[in-house]
Amino acid sequence: MRRLGKALLALAALLLVYLAVVAWWASASVDTLLAQHPADPSAPRLSQRQLAILLRIEDPSFFTHHGLSLADGQGVATISSAVARDLFLYDGRLDGLQGGLQRFYRAVFDCCRKADLGRDTMALVLDARVSKERQLALYVGGVYLGRQEGRQLRGLEQGARAYLGKPLAALDDDDMARLVAMIKAPNDLHPLRNRDAYALRLERVRAVLAGRCRPDGWLDTTYAHCAR
């Protein structure tokens, strides 16, 4: 029993060291990575109604949490953690020691994303260093929305034009719900290739948006009890 206790303490100490190094690396790298994604004043922006729809489904407490959240329907990811994942691990390039750590953390996340706390630490650093408005702009411009006609779609603008045939600014409430319904799993919920799964997801999303159903706790992002 004593050996087990010592082993657990050692594992806890290693985890703390790992997370401390992640936090240091993220803090040291964030400005370099953001510089590779300069703000575009002409980029599409969400209307208040569109934003409300997006946040109700993807991140209900976005403007009040500090990168992580336990709000009902939140699951294990926030908009902040999604942006942190893409910014720190996939969409930017670092050199030297920082680049080596970036490749290591990417490999850890690819291997063990359900257990790795590295991305969560990156989300906390991101939220402390980057405004909510900038995080939201990165998300709106870069969220993955599956593949269509042989190309990968990134951002709500591309998704709106590819799937709905209109620019993001022209989407009404139901159009926005259609787009947001895909975000959870864009390939599994593809509106053209997986019509039945997408239709069921959309119906559940509409029920939540209309107030006819509520997420059943923190981990409920499927709204299975909201089925017809």
Side-chain angles (χ1 to χ4, degrees):
M1 185 65 70
R2 183 176 298 176
R3 288 182 179 178
L4 177 60
K6 288 183 177 179
L8 291 175
L9 285 174
L11 286 174
L14 285 173
L15 177 61
L16 289 175
V17 170
Y18 170 74
L19 296 179
V21 175
V22 171
W24 166 81
W25 169 80
S27 295
S29 304
V30 64
D31 290 337
T32 300
L33 292 169
L34 283 173
Q36 298 175 25
H37 299 81
D40 180 3
S42 65
R45 294 176 178 271
L46 299 179
S47 70
Q48 286 300 310
R49 291 182 68 87
Q50 290 173 337
L51 178 60
I53 290 169
L54 173 67
L55 296 186
R56 182 68 186 86
I57 301 301
E58 288 301 310
D59 197 340
S61 58
F62 174 68
F63 283 109
T64 57
H65 68 57
H66 297 290
L68 305 176
S69 175
L70 296 178
D72 282 354
Q74 185 64 69
V76 297
T78 62
I79 284 177
S80 299
S81 64
V83 172
R85 175 199 63 208
D86 291 342
L87 180 70
F88 286 111
L89 300 181
Y90 296 108
D91 292 344
R93 179 179 177 181
L94 297 169
D95 298 318
L97 174 61
Q98 289 181 336
L101 288 171
Q102 183 184 45
R103 291 188 291 274
F104 171 72
Y105 294 136
R106 184 189 302 132
V108 172
F109 182 74
D110 288 343
C111 164
C112 314
R113 64 185 62 197
K114 291 185 177 181
D116 179 38
L117 298 177
R119 181 191 62 171
D120 297 330
T121 302
M122 295 171 204
L124 293 172
V125 171
L126 180 80
D127 199 76
R129 296 285 299 276
V130 181
S131 71
K132 293 290 188 179
E133 289 72 18
R134 183 79 171 98
Q135 292 178 48
L136 192 61
L138 289 167
Y139 185 82
V140 169
V143 62
Y144 177 60
L145 284 173
R147 300 186 68 86
Q148 179 67 1
E149 296 181 349
R151 68 187 183 100
Q152 186 180 90
L153 300 178
R154 286 281 182 178
L156 296 180
E157 178 70 23
Q158 287 190 8
R161 292 182 181 275
Y163 298 120
L164 300 171
K166 60 182 77 173
L168 181 61
L171 300 192
D172 61 21
D173 289 1
D174 195 60
D175 290 331
M176 190 65 185
R178 288 176 179 275
L179 202 57
V180 168
M182 294 183 60
I183 293 177
K184 178 176 173 59
N187 292 313
D188 294 337
L189 299 170
H190 196 283
L192 301 179
R193 293 194 293 272
N194 296 303
R195 294 176 184 272
D196 291 344
Y198 172 72
L200 181 57
R201 170 66 175 173
L202 178 58
E203 183 178 354
R204 291 168 173 171
V205 164
R206 284 171 171 161
V208 172
L209 292 173
R212 298 193 305 270
C213 188
R214 292 179 56 85
D216 186 19
W218 168 48
L219 291 174
D220 180 24
T221 60
T222 63
Y223 321 136
H225 61 293
C226 299
R228 51 175 169 256

